[in-house]
Amino acid sequence: MNILAELQNRFRASLAGIGDDPTELVAMVRPSQDPKFGDYQANFAMPLGKRLGRPPRDVAAEIVAKLSVDDFCDPPQVEGPGFINLRLKTSWLAAAVERALASDRLGIEPAAVPRTYVVDYSAPNVAKPMHVGHIRSTVIGDSLKRTLRFLGHRVIADNHIGDWGTQFGMIIYGYKHFLDRAAYQSKAVEELGRLYRLVNRLVGYHEGQETLPKLREQLSAQRAEVAKAAKTPPLGDKGADKNAAKALRRAESISKELASSLAALETSLAEVDRDPALSALARRHPEIARAVLAETAKLHQGDPENLRLWREFLPPCLADIERIYLRLGVTFDYTLGESFYHDRLESVVDDLLRSGIARVSDGAACVFLAGQTTPLIIRKQDGAFLYGTTDLATIEYRVQTWSPDAILYVVDHRQSLHFEQLFAAARAWGYKDLELQHISFGTVLGDDGRPFKTRSGDTVGLGGLLDEAVRRAHQVVSQGDDAKPGGAEISPERRQQIAEVVGIGALKYADLAQNRTSDYMFSYDRMLAMNGNTATYMQYAYARVLSIFSKGEVDAGALRASGAGVDLAHPVERALALSLLQFSEALDQAVAEYRPNFLTAYLFEVANRYSSFFEQCPVLKAPSEASRASRLLLCDLTARTLRQGLELLGIQVVDKM
RNA sequence: GCGCCCGUGGCGCAAUUGGAUAGCGCAUCGGUCUUCGGAACCGAGGGUUGCAGGUUCGAAUCCUGCCGGGCGUACCA
């Protein structure tokens, strides 16, 4: 059951006739922050008293008098300005633990009104290897999928891969001009990746050549402005001088920015110039940017040769990505990429134009939206469609196919403007009852606070990232095992398996534990720390619980069936029990805001309270047979809660580590 | 220029969306080992929540203005 929800129901009844909107008031019932205020508290008496023009404590007393909770709470206390503090009866808590133990869902009821969700996450570009930027979308989306599904909702996990864009034009162009056939035959994906990078680089080189003089011009103009501003003597007027100083600072910072991007461009151009082979290629392919677009356009128009190549490239690329998912334990129900929607795009544009939602401006079909300075463009001047077009077609398809109540897009925050526009356009198009959510998240940063890159400045491949996490986890596991008092007890093969679980778990947990909206500073050392809020600590706590059962030769199932009861005599037993019973609340919270870090915070609390309990309450050597059984039952529920919670994060446990 | 997001002990992050004395982990210092896994537990120090106003019983949270940072900004995705 959900204790908080039950309390809110009781308060709702006692508020009848007093407030005008009990829902709003009832939302002010919540777990207490400090145990001395009880287990839960209601905070609505103060605003309500204000509204009614009565002393809040009187209002609180009146509501308490009408409140019926004596079946599971001690008498409520009114304290301070009008807080209503509630403390659960310990005997009731014990009985609730027994009920949770008997349930294969740990006492968590499925949602009363199941909804249908489409969760759109991961979405890599098929033509490029997955990199560090894909972690967050993949891991957060997968966790949301698991959690919503556990709560009884219908969830469609759809990987909207990029399999139809300019990247394929690049690969096709590369294939036609630069292919190393032997390499392609032995390692197709690697060779395609090389071709992509090569073509991308050549395109960038020529574009850079074009922008270089412009950039230089801009920089010198900006520097002149700075010099002029710096020379202007103060006027003596305080306000004017302040503004002048501000303008100077701004000009300087723009100038600095221009200088650094110019330097970066010059470096990358010089790299090509210094490499004779590369610069020869660049000279031989001056029109490469246009040619790449032409290859893409031919593909989209159904050119047999390009279509054949696309069909040839796709399977090995997908297989490569699939290997990563397999390792991460991430699955999808559908993988409907951009190409899937290709033949629907034209009718989307026609429909929007016909209904007047879109109009042609500067030759492009645009949806102009209230309060937006830029339109959502759905067809370019040259007739090509954009990802906004595909996204609209995708919404249409998803609604037709699954009639979802909500679509969640787990995509980084830089695309927030795009989604704002997309959602507004979709609503204008008629999708008004559909919940459209951009589940945005911040950038993965390195130790230096800059976007996470390798030392040489390349993006970090996801495969290599996983290898490194597992390698480090292996060290941690081996050291721990070697240091055991009775000597090492885990075989080399098993160590490797455990390292995989610990390494991948650490990687996922570190990401999920953070509020997704902020940037995330990546650190192997932090995420594999043995204590603190990490997967490793949680997995360790789990393994410790299990070791009690094996040491005591206790079978958890038999114990549950034995009819033994739970008794919460010690304060830490009670605290642990309360936490265990709040699993349902943590899940509701995580889902309400699509934020897995509420779940990690909850699991960390459980693990901490278990550790305190473990320290202070001997289990196998408990003072009595009844106490031993009761404590074992608490251990059992702790282990199952940790395992279930971690599973909803997509993290596995091991029984020894 | 405009728009969105952010600023919390030395570092990395929380804070149930306006609730009681702002929490946690690293790091620092000090305790607890003949006891179920010490990869643990208990405790201490460390804060004017970027700055200045305002709103009210109450503000890290809401409003205004500054300061500092990130991202985005018509035909890439």
Side-chain angles (χ1 to χ4, degrees):
Chain A
M1 75 172 288
N2 186 315
I3 299 169
L4 182 60
E6 183 59 28
L7 279 170
Q8 289 175 331
N9 282 337
R10 303 290 179 97
F11 270 109
R12 187 183 294 276
S14 79
L15 277 164
I18 299 183
D20 30 23
D21 184 7
T23 304
E24 193 186 315
L25 296 174
V26 150
M28 298 175 80
V29 180
R30 50 188 58 147
S32 296
Q33 306 234 1
D34 190 323
K36 79 178 176 208
F37 299 130
D39 300 320
Y40 289 84
Q41 61 179 239
N43 301 333
F44 52 66
M46 285 80 80
L48 188 54
K50 181 115 199 158
R51 211 182 307 164
L52 301 175
R54 295 174 49 194
R57 291 189 62 109
D58 289 1
V59 177
E62 185 187 330
I63 291 162
V64 164
K66 290 209 269 181
L67 183 67
S68 150
V69 290
D70 58 350
D71 50 328
F72 71 119
C73 293
D74 290 340
Q77 305 293 320
V78 176
E79 280 161 38
F83 293 105
I84 301 169
N85 294 338
L86 295 140
R87 191 183 147 85
L88 299 163
K89 285 181 173 163
T90 303
S91 58
W92 181 86
L93 272 176
V97 168
E98 288 166 9
R99 283 195 297 275
L101 276 161
S103 142
D104 57 358
R105 292 178 55 84
L106 308 174
I108 293 166
E109 290 146 32
V113 187
R115 305 177 80 208
T116 297
Y117 289 88
V118 173
V119 186
D120 180 326
Y121 59 102
S122 195
N125 271 316
V126 175
K128 315 182 225 180
M130 286 181 85
H131 57 84
V132 60
H134 295 109
I135 295 182
R136 300 203 80 182
S137 176
T138 306
V139 168
I140 294 170
D142 187 57
S143 174
L144 291 176
K145 174 195 78 175
R146 290 166 180 265
T147 309
L148 288 166
R149 199 167 276 170
F150 179 71
L151 289 176
H153 299 290
R154 175 180 175 228
V155 182
I156 291 119
D158 185 10
N159 194 2
H160 191 72
I161 55 173
D163 60 358
W164 197 240
T166 316
Q167 334 86 337
F168 275 95
M170 290 190 179
I171 296 191
I172 290 170
Y173 187 90
Y175 182 93
K176 290 179 178 175
H177 298 87
F178 310 126
L179 183 70
D180 176 342
R181 190 156 291 281
Y184 182 64
Q185 259 144 21
S186 60
K187 288 185 165 175
V189 179
E190 258 175 49
E191 173 61 6
L192 291 177
R194 183 189 73 85
L195 291 173
Y196 168 79
R197 284 192 302 275
L198 175 61
V199 173
N200 195 31
R201 198 149 180 212
L202 294 175
V203 170
Y205 179 80
H206 288 295
E207 279 173 356
Q209 294 286 23
E210 249 176 72
T211 56
L212 190 63
K214 286 185 210 154
L215 204 53
R216 285 191 173 133
E217 215 172 281
Q218 273 176 22
L219 180 59
S220 62
Q222 191 64 35
R223 284 196 168 138
E225 202 171 305
V226 170
K228 195 177 135 200
K231 260 192 287 183
T232 312
L235 297 166
D237 179 86
K238 222 172 156 188
D241 284 343
K242 200 176 145 196
N243 282 340
K246 194 175 153 187
L248 176 60
R249 270 203 309 278
R250 181 179 302 280
E252 278 170 345
S253 96
I254 293 173
S255 157
K256 218 172 124 189
E257 219 171 274
L258 281 173
S260 83
S261 51
L262 180 63
L265 180 57
E266 280 171 338
T267 315
S268 88
L269 292 178
E271 269 172 31
V272 177
D273 288 332
R274 225 181 303 126
D275 184 326
L278 213 49
S279 55
L281 284 182
R283 273 194 304 278
R284 234 175 295 146
H285 298 265
E287 293 294 306
I288 188 165
R290 218 183 314 274
V292 162
L293 284 181
E295 294 293 3
T296 312
K298 274 168 71 181
L299 171 65
H300 290 179
Q301 283 150 17
D303 173 77
E305 169 67 0
N306 280 13
L307 208 52
R308 185 188 65 75
L309 288 175
W310 180 77
R311 289 204 179 102
E312 186 177 314
F313 298 157
L314 207 53
C317 290
L318 285 173
D320 208 49
I321 289 171
E322 198 49 48
R323 263 194 296 281
I324 299 250
Y325 288 141
L326 192 66
R327 205 165 167 197
L328 282 173
V330 170
T331 57
F332 300 89
D333 304 307
Y334 297 92
T335 298
L336 301 177
E338 294 169 337
S339 63
F340 180 80
Y341 298 97
H342 177 243
D343 56 11
R344 298 164 175 268
L345 302 182
E346 200 172 337
S347 76
V348 169
V349 175
D350 287 348
D351 195 45
L352 287 165
L353 283 172
R354 199 170 39 238
S355 56
I357 295 162
R359 65 182 165 83
V360 177
S361 163
D362 278 347
C366 301
V367 181
F368 287 91
L369 300 153
Q372 300 268 356
T373 48
T374 58
L376 178 74
I377 298 176
I378 53 176
R379 193 182 60 208
K380 300 201 287 183
Q381 283 175 330
D382 66 5
F385 303 112
L386 292 113
Y387 76 140
T389 329
T390 312
D391 284 346
L392 284 167
T394 305
I395 291 175
E396 182 182 48
Y397 175 83
R398 286 173 175 168
V399 170
Q400 283 169 358
T401 311
W402 300 301
S403 323
D405 300 290
I407 304 179
L408 311 181
Y409 297 84
V410 189
V411 181
D412 78 271
H413 72 281
R414 285 173 303 194
Q415 296 198 35
S416 58
L417 176 62
H418 169 70
F419 283 109
E420 224 178 285
Q421 294 180 324
L422 174 69
F423 296 166
R427 276 190 292 273
W429 201 18
Y431 298 102
K432 290 192 171 37
D433 296 331
L434 179 62
E435 176 189 343
L436 293 164
Q437 289 276 1
H438 177 200
I439 311 299
S440 77
F441 54 83
T443 311
V444 179
L445 307 176
D447 295 327
D448 55 357
R450 306 293 313 158
F452 191 51
K453 297 270 167 73
T454 61
R455 269 191 211 92
S456 55
D458 299 325
T459 54
V460 179
L462 195 44
L465 198 77
L466 298 183
D467 289 341
E468 180 64 10
V470 170
R471 189 185 69 77
R472 290 179 185 234
H474 191 267
Q475 284 181 347
V476 171
V477 169
S478 296
Q479 277 166 17
D481 192 39
D482 290 341
K484 279 177 185 162
E489 55 187 35
I490 303 174
S491 72
E493 299 76 39
R494 187 66 191 140
R495 277 189 189 185
Q496 193 54 48
Q497 291 167 358
I498 294 168
E500 190 80 17
V501 170
V502 171
I504 305 270
L507 183 92
K508 288 183 169 187
Y509 192 96
D511 193 326
L512 294 167
Q514 185 139 178
N515 185 336
R516 60 175 167 76
T517 58
S518 48
D519 287 348
Y520 156 49
M521 196 169 280
F522 188 91
S523 157
Y524 288 112
D525 290 334
R526 255 200 299 278
M527 72 191 198
L528 280 164
M530 304 156 184
N531 42 26
N533 190 7
T534 62
T536 318
Y537 176 83
M538 236 64 71
Q539 288 164 327
Y540 173 66
Y542 177 80
R544 279 206 305 179
V545 187
L546 288 208
S547 90
I548 288 185
F549 283 90
S550 59
K551 176 126 190 174
E553 294 178 350
V554 179
D555 179 76
L559 175 70
R560 264 176 262 157
S562 73
V566 172
D567 179 41
L568 306 171
H570 197 288
V572 297
E573 291 179 303
R574 186 187 187 281
L576 175 60
L578 178 60
S579 277
L580 291 170
L581 292 170
Q582 288 170 330
F583 191 21
S584 170
E585 291 168 34
L587 294 178
D588 284 353
Q589 216 185 337
V591 156
E593 299 188 31
Y594 308 115
R595 275 175 50 183
N597 71 309
F598 284 122
L599 180 51
T600 62
Y602 167 76
L603 293 175
F604 186 50
E605 183 189 81
V606 169
N608 274 322
R609 291 194 173 181
Y610 176 75
S611 286
S612 297
F613 159 80
F614 178 81
E615 248 357 89
Q616 296 181 50
C617 299
V619 177
L620 295 176
K621 294 171 188 165
S624 70
E625 204 42 47
S627 166
R628 180 176 186 268
S630 165
R631 287 174 179 176
L632 280 165
L633 287 171
L634 278 176
C635 288
D636 180 41
L637 188 57
T638 301
R640 287 160 69 196
T641 303
L642 288 177
R643 189 177 56 212
Q644 180 66 64
L646 288 171
E647 188 185 314
L648 297 181
L649 298 171
I651 295 169
Q652 293 178 271
V653 289
V654 287
D655 49 10
K656 270 197 171 77
M657 62 187 280

